[in-house]
Amino acid sequence: MPNELLELGYSYDALEPFIDARTMEIHHTKHHQGYVDKLNKALEGTKLQDKPVEDLLKDVNNLPQDKKQAIINNGGGHANHSFFWKSLKKGTKASGEILQAIEKKFGSIDEFKEKFKEAATTLFGSGWVWLVLNEKKELEILQTKNQGSPLSENKIPVLGLDVWEHAYYLKYQNKRPEYVDAFFNVINWEQVNENFKAK
Ligand code: MN
């Protein structure tokens, strides 16, 4: 089965004014769709298209050499965006196990946000910033370049932020720090807590 673009589960304007409807629509229907299409083209006629893309990303060193980079780029693009859409929602607050773990690791939710923002604004060029669980099941902040997936580094994503310009340019232009501040208002902490507990 080819990979598919999933519905967001909410409307394109659901995150206004923090993330605008036009950005969401283009991001989902053009950018994310583009990764899905290119991934499917690369995997056409191979058994790899029947595997969950996350499984391919966890084991990139065993991918066929002629498919490897396409899967890292477009499989990563597909998996990262699918993960990102689910972790966006207005009106939730950090609570429960994830809040306790963040406070233990970073001191407070505000100190966590400060560190996450620093990672997001210092990432040069295109990429993602993540809160992940590392091999020791400890929280850490991670940057990945381009569409790199934490799964390929043996880490479990808990929260992710797309800092490619296409994610924010229409509304925020060059002001990535403002986009990061806006993102803090639309983190779906219920989902993040689920991601954390699934460890
Ligand atoms: Mn993107």
Side-chain angles (χ1 to χ4, degrees), residues 10-190:
Y10 48 83
S11 61
Y12 289 124
D13 64 2
L15 307 172
E16 292 266 10
F18 305 108
I19 304 181
D20 60 292
R22 179 130 175 85
T23 296
M24 286 299 292
E25 183 169 4
I26 294 171
H27 202 172
H28 184 240
T29 64
K30 306 293 183 197
H31 292 278
H32 187 174
Q33 182 73 61
Y35 296 119
V36 172
D37 292 345
K38 287 184 191 133
L39 176 65
N40 285 335
K41 194 160 194 296
L43 301 187
E44 211 170 20
T46 76
K47 288 185 177 163
L48 298 176
Q49 66 177 3
D50 298 321
K51 288 197 175 183
V53 67
E54 290 80 7
D55 289 355
L56 301 179
L57 293 166
K58 282 177 193 166
D59 199 19
V60 290
N61 290 326
N62 284 319
L63 294 172
Q65 206 52 43
D66 63 330
K67 305 290 182 197
K68 184 174 171 179
Q69 198 58 48
I71 293 168
I72 290 171
N73 293 347
N74 300 298
H78 178 35
N80 290 345
H81 287 87
S82 298
F83 182 89
F84 184 51
W85 306 135
K86 279 196 267 181
S87 56
L88 300 175
K89 186 182 184 180
K90 278 203 296 197
T92 73
K93 270 205 153 63
S95 65
E97 290 180 40
I98 185 62
L99 179 60
Q100 288 175 11
I102 284 174
E103 287 175 342
K104 187 167 172 236
K105 176 72 189 182
F106 300 99
S108 68
I109 192 83
D110 285 340
E111 284 170 276
F112 158 69
K113 286 180 182 173
E114 202 176 297
K115 292 221 162 60
F116 191 92
K117 183 175 180 179
E118 189 188 343
T121 49
T122 56
L123 190 153
F124 185 74
S126 296
W128 290 73
V129 178
W130 305 90
L131 179 65
V132 298
L133 283 162
N134 64 21
E135 297 87 335
K136 296 179 193 159
K137 305 290 185 206
E138 288 170 354
L139 288 175
E140 69 178 42
I141 291 170
L142 175 77
Q143 297 174 326
T144 59
K145 299 290 289 175
N146 302 314
Q147 293 296 348
S149 165
L151 298 171
S152 305
E153 301 183 31
N154 214 5
K155 294 179 177 166
I156 302 166
V158 175
L159 172 69
L161 175 62
D162 187 345
V163 294
W164 285 56
E165 282 190 345
H166 70 225
Y168 63 88
Y169 199 83
L170 289 179
K171 184 172 170 80
Y172 295 100
Q173 295 84 47
N174 62 324
K175 294 167 285 198
R176 190 189 286 181
E178 289 184 21
Y179 162 66
V180 179
D181 286 335
F183 168 70
F184 290 136
N185 291 292
V186 294
I187 295 174
N188 182 349
W189 284 105
E190 296 155 3

